[in-house]
Amino acid sequence: SLAIDPNRPDVWTDLGVMYRRAGNSKKSVESFDRALSFNSRHEVALFNKGVVLMHDLNDQDAAITAWKTLVKINPNAQAPNGQLIRNMVAGLQNQ
């Protein structure tokens, strides 16, 4: 897909997810950043970037920054489990 159109943020986001599954967190974040370079409002890339930063790279501050950006774009953004991202961020900041 990238050979056909290297500017597709959805494909870069999917690639980031695959890098994470393969255990390559740094390449994962790079892929999410590449997706965001084409669409800075890409909600899935922002959410997943936060997940990798928080859980794989242990960078809570950077994860919160990514998720705050997501909440600015969509105040009602939710994690796959239905939790509002803004509540998740508030909980992390109150720790």
Side-chain angles (χ1 to χ4, degrees):
S1 291
L2 291 175
I4 295 169
D5 184 358
N7 302 324
R8 304 266 321 260
D10 292 336
V11 176
W12 283 105
T13 299
D14 290 345
L15 183 60
V17 170
M18 293 301 105
Y19 275 129
R20 181 178 192 229
R21 287 186 183 169
N24 194 337
S25 301
K26 289 185 180 190
K27 290 290 279 184
S28 178
V29 171
E30 289 173 12
S31 293
F32 296 136
D33 284 340
R34 187 71 185 260
L36 293 164
S37 75
F38 296 113
N39 178 1
S40 63
R41 301 174 61 86
H42 198 283
E43 294 183 28
V44 176
L46 284 165
F47 176 76
N48 285 324
K49 180 179 177 179
V51 168
V52 173
L53 289 166
M54 174 69 100
H55 298 289
D56 300 342
L57 298 175
N58 300 311
D59 190 344
Q60 180 173 318
D61 292 338
I64 288 173
T65 298
W67 291 329
K68 280 184 170 180
T69 302
L70 173 55
V71 170
K72 285 180 187 174
I73 293 165
N74 178 2
N76 295 314
Q78 297 180 1
N81 67 0
Q83 181 181 17
L84 289 171
I85 303 301
R86 69 175 178 254
N87 293 345
M88 189 172 69
V89 169
L92 290 169
Q93 290 179 316
N94 291 330
Q95 290 182 5

